[in-house]
Amino acid sequence: MRAAVAVAQSMEDPLSGLSLREIPDPEEKPGWTRLRVRSASLNPHDVWTLRGVGHPAERIPMVLGCDGAGVTDAGDEVVIHPVLGDPNRGGGDVTLDPGRALLSETVNGSLADFVLVPDACVVPKPTWLSFDDAATLGIVWGTAYRMLFTRARLKAGDRVLVQGASGGVGSAAISLARAAGARVFATARTEAKRAFALEAGAHETFENGVRLPERVDIVVDTVGEATWAHSLRSLQPGGVIVTCGATTGNMPPAELNRIFYQQLSVIGSTGSTRAEFEALLRLLEASGVRPHVDSVVPLDDIASGFQRLIDGDVRGKLVVRVS
Ligand SMILES: NC(=O)c1ccc[n+]([C@@H]2O[C@H](COP(=O)([O-])OP(=O)(O)OC[C@H]3O[C@@H](n4cnc5c(N)ncnc54)[C@H](OP(=O)(O)O)[C@@H]3O)[C@@H](O)[C@H]2O)c1
């Protein structure tokens, strides 16, 4: 089968370690389901793997791809919930299992003609969702759902600021918060990206760092150093900042005086449980919200998709059509 494989790691030139090559089809094994991948999507996680961040060199080569949707050998149309682990070791929450992993961290990922995933990660694909749309959901939409509803405990009427509005997590968070009855502010670096944020559901958009018309209850920040100080300043006393990533760096000043004096909560969030992922699907169906697909590239053209992701030139998600 064809597969997009990380064969080497380079911080400066991540695409030098990407190889589209023929590898053997995965063999079936008990407790695992084999899918013919119809669509997958690209995530910064794949680029971190190619850069050598968070993915040890001894786990190379590895087929990339955390997200996907396809058809099982039995003919069922399914979408992948990509968090692999044992909920029992996480007190009932797979994301709290110390040994959890994302698809493509410990086993081959979805950017290939076939992928083998644990049975527990296979979720029926709703008929109202296309394969391309379904392939965007596992990582960023699942993560945004958990950030807002489980971790930050969003309520209807809350005011929410989303930093990095055009990103995968950012644009999903905008749409989900709006669907849940929040007032949504968003920041993005260009006029075109701010226009996209409005289409995704933001009520108002701003350039990065601009003072908001009012303070907010929740900030969704995946950007890190470039936005953190603004995130802290934008919260009302008692507010919550929820983070799942640090694209621009993970060491902003802590500003402890602001955190204790304003009684702010800084909350981390990673991935989603299967129950959260299924709830996300129900929320999309009930609200009519649909994923934001920037464009679709064929698997054979995957390097150009990764280049756009690295350049920051994406609104929502880049989908890879595999078959
Ligand atoms: N822990 C988890 O489970 C989890 C899950 C998903 C993602 N993540 C992490 O979360 C981060 C976001 O993921 P994603 O898929 O949403 O990535 P993405 O689609 O690449 O979006 C990243 C966003 O960051 C913003 N950004 C980048 N550089 C910036 C700068 N210099 N100044 C201001 N904003 C900047 C951009 O916002 P604008 O272009 O709109 O300005 C961009 O849209 C990544 O680091 C990823 O690894 C973690």
Side-chain angles (χ1 to χ4, degrees):
M1 67 171 184
R2 296 168 306 156
V5 186
V7 295
Q9 295 172 311
S10 164
M11 182 58 93
E12 295 73 32
D13 184 11
L15 291 190
S16 63
L18 173 67
S19 172
L20 188 64
R21 54 174 62 183
E22 287 287 327
I23 65 169
D25 292 357
E27 288 183 14
E28 290 179 76
K29 58 180 180 181
W32 293 67
T33 301
R34 190 170 71 166
L35 319 185
R36 172 174 280 282
V37 180
R38 294 285 302 276
S39 303
S41 70
L42 302 184
N43 285 287
H45 187 281
D46 301 307
V47 180
W48 296 126
T49 301
L50 289 165
R51 288 194 199 276
V53 177
H55 189 101
E58 56 270 21
R59 289 205 211 124
I60 295 292
M62 181 70 77
V63 178
L64 295 166
C66 311
D67 281 327
V71 182
T72 67
D73 289 349
D76 298 323
E77 297 188 352
V78 299
V79 53
I80 300 169
H81 173 246
V83 184
L84 285 62
D86 181 352
N88 291 329
R89 275 191 258 136
D93 182 332
V94 71
T95 71
L96 298 179
D97 171 4
R100 73 178 188 282
L102 294 180
L103 188 64
S104 82
E105 287 182 345
T106 51
V107 298
N108 279 332
S110 55
L111 286 165
D113 287 317
F114 291 95
V115 64
L116 198 63
V117 294
D119 293 343
C121 296
V122 176
V123 178
K125 182 182 78 62
T127 51
W128 45 265
L129 200 59
S130 69
F131 282 105
D132 287 346
D133 283 354
T136 68
L137 296 179
I139 296 291
V140 303
W141 284 81
T143 300
Y145 182 96
R146 181 177 175 87
M147 290 174 85
L148 289 170
F149 301 116
T150 307
R151 303 294 285 145
R153 298 175 184 272
L154 173 74
K155 305 181 299 301
D158 278 350
R159 293 150 296 183
V160 176
L161 167 64
V162 178
Q163 305 275 23
S166 75
V169 177
S171 56
I174 289 171
S175 299
L176 293 176
R178 177 73 185 250
R183 175 148 193 89
V184 184
F185 299 142
T187 67
R189 287 170 295 174
T190 67
E191 191 61 50
K193 288 179 172 184
R194 290 190 287 277
F196 167 71
L198 291 173
E199 284 168 30
H203 290 93
E204 288 184 69
T205 62
F206 304 89
E207 293 176 25
N208 292 101
V210 164
R211 188 187 177 95
L212 302 179
E214 59 181 323
R215 290 212 163 98
V216 300
D217 304 282
I218 296 170
V219 179
V220 173
D221 191 326
T222 67
V223 180
E225 284 179 16
T227 52
W228 194 255
H230 180 244
S231 295
L232 291 175
R233 281 201 310 280
S234 300
L235 280 172
Q236 68 154 359
V240 172
I241 178 166
V242 58
T243 172
C244 76
T247 303
T248 61
N250 65 357
M251 296 294 272
E255 296 198 44
L256 295 177
N257 53 346
R258 186 177 290 277
I259 289 175
F260 67 70
Y261 193 66
Q262 301 292 354
Q263 302 190 64
L264 307 180
S265 299
V266 177
I267 298 182
S269 193
T270 278
S272 63
T273 65
R274 181 179 171 124
E276 288 163 341
F277 189 68
E278 289 173 341
L280 164 71
L281 293 175
R282 291 193 295 274
L283 175 52
L284 295 182
E285 182 175 23
S287 64
V289 167
R290 292 294 177 270
H292 312 296
V293 175
D294 175 294
S295 45
V296 180
V297 296
L299 181 61
D300 292 334
D301 204 13
I302 192 165
S304 72
F306 272 125
Q307 189 60 58
R308 286 192 56 205
L309 194 64
I310 290 167
D311 293 342
D313 175 30
V314 181
R315 289 170 218 173
K317 294 292 288 176
L318 275 174
V319 168
V320 177
R321 185 84 51 77
V322 179
S323 62

